Amino acid sequence: MTARAIIIGAPRSGSGKTSVTIGILRALTRRGLRVRGAKSGPDYIDPGFHTAATGLSGVNLDSWAMTPSLLNALAAQQADDTDFVVLESAMGLFDGIPVASGRTGSAADLARLYGLPVLLVLDVSGQSTTAAAVAKGFATYDPDVRMAGVVLNRLGSERHRRLSGDAIEAIGLPVVGAILRDPTLNLPERHLGLVQAGEYDDLMAHLDRLADMAEKSLDLDAVMALATPLAPAAGDFADALRPPGQRIALAEDAAFTFLYPHVAACWRKAGAEIVPFSPLADEAPDDDCDVCWLPGGYPELHTGKLAAATNFHAGMTRFAATKPAHGECGGFMVLGEAIEDAGGETHRMLGLLGHSTSFARRKMNLGYREARLRADCPLGAQGALIRGHEFHYAQMMATGNDEPLADLADGQGNPLGASGYRRGHVSGTFFHAIARA
């Protein structure tokens, strides 16, 4: 039997989707159910909370970056040997990019594709019966995306609940949850999103507070009754990123954390071994590995420690002399000559590529990316087309003289020019690879 599933959607980011999702996941897990989370779009952080809440791995399901076959394979994997799947929308439910229908990257694509109902989370602070107009708009906007119920969030009082809830139920949508304002339920944030699950000293206590909220404020039996089977069409993993080597040295600590769960899982599924090491603990990649991968994360918060990690520096130089090393976003920054921190102080980095970056001169870079590789590298062979995402605030201070790694386009195919750098066995780019196009 396949799992039953529901999508948690909202009009915008900041409506409380993540808290509601985690609360439901943790509450149902405490009931003894096998529950898994999924996240629409390119988010590295929320799947970590889903995994912590359930004890079972989370995943990203991205209708733009993943081919339909890969998307179906990952969705089926989440539904296998599972009772319930909670799929959390990124941003607003219908937010994607204007491309071919079904490939926009929105959670609404997944609702249509799999026939899944949507539980709409409405932040009703500052309004009452107007919430019904918002709900009605969602209910009628796309006849192929079904709103199954509503959760009212950030209510000020019982009267507030009655005014909002009665108006919504009058248009035919059941209200299955009503959550009072409670700042202690908010998850702390910083410049790239939520503070990550692994950085909490009392993570499980906070997850249990969210589960207590869900038990108290939501009709969980009604939520489960709204769900429908998640039964994707046949798919396969042919378009997943291929392992860059048999043994992969993977930087893994508070500075290097942004690796999509499906990427590592697909590497292992293909028979590769991942060998973690911590640059912040001054560890170097294992010389017995075939390739080194520096993922994104928050190196800009740890520049002094990374600059002082002499064993890491020497080990990376030794490794990259004969074997491939690749960096994404934060990892790309560390491969360069230097990083200027938020206070304007410059810290020496690995110097394996010639560029330098600054976190003091911040500007947000955000969006889907498609890269045509100019040369063989750990991302793939020369000419391969890779889809991914870019999200960073760091800016280039100096470009150096290395060869470009790829020709980049945005999600609609508009050329963005050359991107990333390569020198010898070393390569890097600001964009995070998600799948083969």
Side-chain angles (χ1 to χ4, degrees):
M1 291 182 65
T2 189
R4 296 173 68 81
I6 196 165
I7 293 176
I8 309 296
R12 59 176 175 81
S13 296
S15 298
K17 297 186 307 287
T18 299
S19 294
V20 170
T21 298
I22 294 171
I24 293 172
L25 288 171
R26 184 64 187 154
L28 295 184
T29 299
R30 294 195 313 196
R31 291 186 177 188
L33 297 173
R34 286 181 62 81
V35 191
R36 290 185 188 272
K39 178 76 177 188
S40 76
D43 184 300
Y44 342 91
I45 296 175
D46 287 350
F49 283 98
H50 299 170
T51 298
T54 64
L56 300 174
S57 59
V59 75
N60 295 85
L61 298 175
D62 193 313
S63 65
W64 181 86
M66 297 171 178
T67 60
S69 184
L70 177 58
L71 194 66
N72 288 340
L74 290 169
Q77 188 171 270
Q78 286 305 94
D80 184 46
D81 192 27
T82 305
D83 298 312
F84 203 80
V85 175
V86 182
L87 201 164
E88 179 186 351
S89 167
M91 301 189 296
L93 179 71
F94 294 97
D95 291 336
I97 58 175
V99 291
S101 177
R103 297 297 303 273
T104 72
S106 72
D109 286 350
L110 304 176
R112 292 187 208 96
L113 179 63
Y114 300 127
L116 295 180
V118 175
L119 181 60
L120 185 64
V121 178
L122 292 180
D123 177 355
V124 295
S125 57
Q127 60 181 209
S128 58
T129 54
T130 298
V134 177
K136 185 170 184 177
F138 271 78
T140 59
Y141 180 73
D142 185 336
D144 294 325
V145 178
R146 181 171 65 89
M147 302 302 123
V150 174
V151 172
L152 305 174
N153 194 24
R154 303 191 180 113
L155 289 160
S157 65
E158 174 59 26
R159 180 174 179 273
H160 191 187
R161 185 202 66 76
R162 286 198 309 272
L163 289 169
S164 304
D166 290 354
I168 289 170
E169 294 202 322
I171 65 168
L173 278 176
V175 175
V176 296
I179 305 168
L180 291 171
R181 289 192 202 106
D182 184 353
T184 67
L185 297 176
N186 295 339
L187 296 162
E189 299 185 42
R190 60 184 165 209
H191 56 280
L192 294 180
L194 296 176
V195 172
Q196 298 168 98
E199 297 180 67
Y200 283 77
D201 293 330
D202 59 346
L203 174 63
M204 294 313 297
H206 190 75
L207 298 182
D208 281 327
R209 282 196 296 273
L210 292 174
D212 293 341
M213 173 275 293
E215 292 280 6
K216 174 184 175 184
S217 303
L218 277 60
D219 184 342
L220 289 174
D221 292 330
V223 170
M224 294 182 68
L226 296 174
T228 58
L230 174 56
D236 59 50
F237 293 93
D239 297 316
L241 292 177
R242 292 171 181 166
Q246 179 62 39
R247 299 188 81 234
I248 305 165
L250 178 68
E252 190 175 276
D253 55 29
F256 300 93
T257 56
F258 291 168
L259 186 69
Y260 293 108
H262 76 275
V263 170
C266 287
W267 286 349
R268 292 189 178 100
K269 189 177 183 70
E273 178 187 0
I274 295 176
V275 182
F277 71 101
S278 170
L280 288 179
D282 201 12
E283 295 173 356
D286 189 328
D287 289 333
D288 290 335
C289 288
D290 305 306
V291 62
C292 179
W293 191 282
L294 303 182
Y298 291 101
E300 63 271 17
L301 303 181
H302 305 276
T303 45
K305 201 166 186 179
L306 288 170
T310 55
N311 184 57
F312 167 58
H313 282 242
M316 283 296 301
T317 299
R318 183 175 63 250
F319 190 98
T322 59
K323 297 175 183 178
H326 181 75
E328 291 190 321
C329 202
F332 171 58
M333 294 165 65
V334 173
L335 286 173
E337 291 284 348
I339 297 176
E340 182 183 28
D341 65 22
E345 184 177 353
T346 298
H347 302 265
R348 182 178 64 89
M349 290 293 120
L350 294 172
L352 297 175
L353 293 173
H355 64 283
S356 296
T357 51
S358 171
F359 192 65
R361 311 169 206 183
R362 290 195 282 178
K363 180 183 178 183
M364 186 171 73
N365 293 268
L366 174 67
Y368 281 124
R369 301 289 183 259
E370 190 168 70
R372 178 78 68 179
L373 300 179
R374 290 194 179 188
D376 294 353
C377 71
L379 288 176
Q382 180 181 2
L385 197 60
I386 306 296
R387 284 194 163 187
H389 189 261
E390 190 171 341
F391 183 20
H392 62 91
Y393 286 88
Q395 295 294 294
M396 200 74 73
M397 285 195 303
T399 57
N401 298 305
D402 299 316
E403 292 294 318
L405 178 64
D407 294 303
L408 213 61
D410 66 15
Q412 295 177 272
N414 300 308
L416 298 175
S419 175
Y421 298 113
R422 55 189 169 91
R423 180 201 299 174
H425 299 284
V426 181
S427 59
T429 174
F430 265 126
F431 87 92
H432 296 259
I434 296 176
R436 287 148 44 87

